[in-house]
Structures are given as C-alpha cells and as structure tokens.
Amino acid sequence: MKELKINSLVFDKQNKRKGKLLSFGRDMGKTAAVEFITSYNEETKERTTKVEQVETKYLTPYRKPKPKKYNPNEMYWMVKEFHEAFNHPVSEKPIKLDVARVVDRYKWILEEIDEFKEAQTLVDQVDALIDTLYLTIGTLVEMGVKPYTPFKIVQNANMSKLFPDGKPRYKDDGKIMKPDTFISPEPLLEKEISRQGK
C-alpha cells in the first residue's frame, strides 16, 4: 500500500484492468475507491466510468508496458511455427540439405520467382516476392540456420565493395569490381554457422 498514491493509475490484478485510485477506505487502507473506465466513444472521446471498492492487496501501481523488443529473427520464428504446425521439416541445429530436398525447395522458390516475372499488378508482385521470401526462410528453417547474423555478414561484405574513396567501380560488363579491402563473407559465415550449431 505504501507505493499506492491518491490520483495515480493502479492495476487491479484480480480483474486485469487499470483505473485511477481516488481514496483509501476507513478500514486501515485495506480497500480503496478506484475509478474504472467502462466504455469509451472513439468519435466523441467521451468515457463512462464506474467507481468500485477494491481490496488494496489486489492493487499495484500501473506501469506502462515496455515496448516489445524487436527480434531480428522474428520472420524465421514465424515460418518455423508454420513448419511445425504443418509437419514440415525443422532442424534445431545447422544441417546441409540432401539433394532431393534441395531440388524440391529450388522448384518451389523458382515457381514464385516465375510468378513475380509474370505479375501484372503491384499486389501480385509483392505477393510473389513475399512467397519467395517465405520459402527461402522456410529453407533456412529446414537447415536450422537463423538468418539475421548471416545476413549482416553478407551486408558488410557487399558494402566493403566500395573503394576507399567511398565510391563503387564497375567492370566493362557492368559488374561491380572488388577493391583489395573487400571482406569475403565465407569464413565469417562458416564461423557463424558453427556458432549456431553449438
């Protein structure tokens, strides 16, 4: 009760709701009068409230929930949930797919890329690309490789293709030239995949 203050927001743990603490009862503070919002009109911004007596043992100071921390592998976990729900393969540690499974995944990804190529609308293009992404992440789920850190490794490698003056150079055929400072991603990918396997 020491933390509870008049006119502060409190959380009623018993009924899972928040309200405003108006006063303590004359029963040595065992109860408190709390104003709860019972309805709210979004258009008029008007609210209806009700004051109720609540045992203070059920009240705690209301603390705004912390924003959900961003999970960089969130899409991986979502696709993994799909695989588990539909009995598709899932690996908990990095594994190399066998040839037959590679052919299957390749075929399905290629179908979505073909859909992207043939798409007539923006929605169709986005749908095909998301399906391609979903299948690609699904392949990583089957391989047991979480993509965020490998993606960062490849991103850093790609950005290291800039020359020391911060500008790109191109070959005659339009391909990007690699400076001497280029960082090859393979050794770092191998290290990261090994780390994920522990």
Side-chain angles (χ1 to χ4, degrees):
M1 195 185 87
K2 291 178 182 177
E3 294 183 52
L4 301 176
K5 296 179 182 176
I6 304 293
N7 293 325
S8 67
L9 288 176
V10 292
F11 183 72
D12 175 6
K13 295 183 285 184
Q14 188 177 34
N15 296 297
K16 310 292 185 208
R17 56 188 178 166
K18 70 176 179 178
K20 183 179 181 181
L21 196 152
L22 301 178
S23 64
F24 291 106
R26 295 182 180 178
D27 50 7
M28 303 290 291
K30 290 181 181 177
T31 62
V34 181
E35 180 183 32
F36 297 102
I37 297 173
T38 55
S39 66
Y40 182 73
N41 187 317
E42 195 68 50
E43 290 182 17
T44 63
K45 307 294 182 194
E46 292 178 355
R47 60 185 181 179
T48 306
T49 62
K50 181 181 179 182
V51 177
E52 295 182 30
Q53 292 294 321
V54 180
E55 290 184 63
T56 51
K57 68 180 180 181
Y58 295 120
L59 298 177
T60 60
Y62 176 76
R63 290 182 176 84
K64 203 172 185 179
K66 290 181 181 177
K68 188 179 176 184
K69 188 177 178 183
Y70 171 68
N71 181 343
N73 281 309
E74 187 168 2
M75 287 191 288
Y76 176 90
W77 298 118
M78 290 165 71
V79 177
K80 185 180 182 204
E81 180 183 25
F82 171 83
H83 273 236
E84 290 170 341
F86 288 85
N87 300 311
H88 290 349
V90 169
S91 178
E92 298 302 330
K93 288 192 174 183
I95 59 164
K96 182 179 181 288
L97 295 185
D98 63 39
V99 174
R101 196 60 183 166
V102 168
V103 169
D104 284 341
R105 301 300 299 187
Y106 167 80
K107 180 178 65 179
W108 299 331
I109 291 170
L110 193 58
E111 284 174 7
E112 297 303 332
I113 292 171
D114 287 340
E115 279 190 28
F116 173 68
K117 181 183 174 187
E118 303 299 325
Q120 299 295 311
T121 68
L122 173 60
V123 171
D124 290 341
Q125 287 180 339
V126 171
D127 180 58
L129 287 174
I130 295 298
D131 285 344
T132 303
L133 184 60
Y134 206 97
L135 281 162
T136 300
I137 294 172
T139 306
L140 288 165
V141 166
E142 292 194 18
M143 295 169 71
V145 177
K146 297 170 195 69
Y148 178 67
T149 301
F151 189 93
K152 282 204 310 183
I153 290 168
V154 172
Q155 165 71 0
N156 290 337
N158 284 336
M159 293 306 293
S160 76
K161 292 176 184 176
L162 290 171
F163 276 69
D165 62 2
K167 295 179 180 178
R169 304 277 193 281
Y170 301 96
K171 298 178 182 176
D172 291 338
D173 61 3
K175 286 188 177 179
I176 296 171
M177 290 176 64
K178 296 174 185 173
D180 294 337
T181 52
F182 171 71
I183 302 167
S184 177
E186 284 82 1
L188 294 173
L189 286 172
E190 184 176 3
K191 187 176 178 181
E192 170 58 19
I193 291 165
S194 174
R195 185 194 69 79
Q196 290 190 26
K198 291 178 182 174

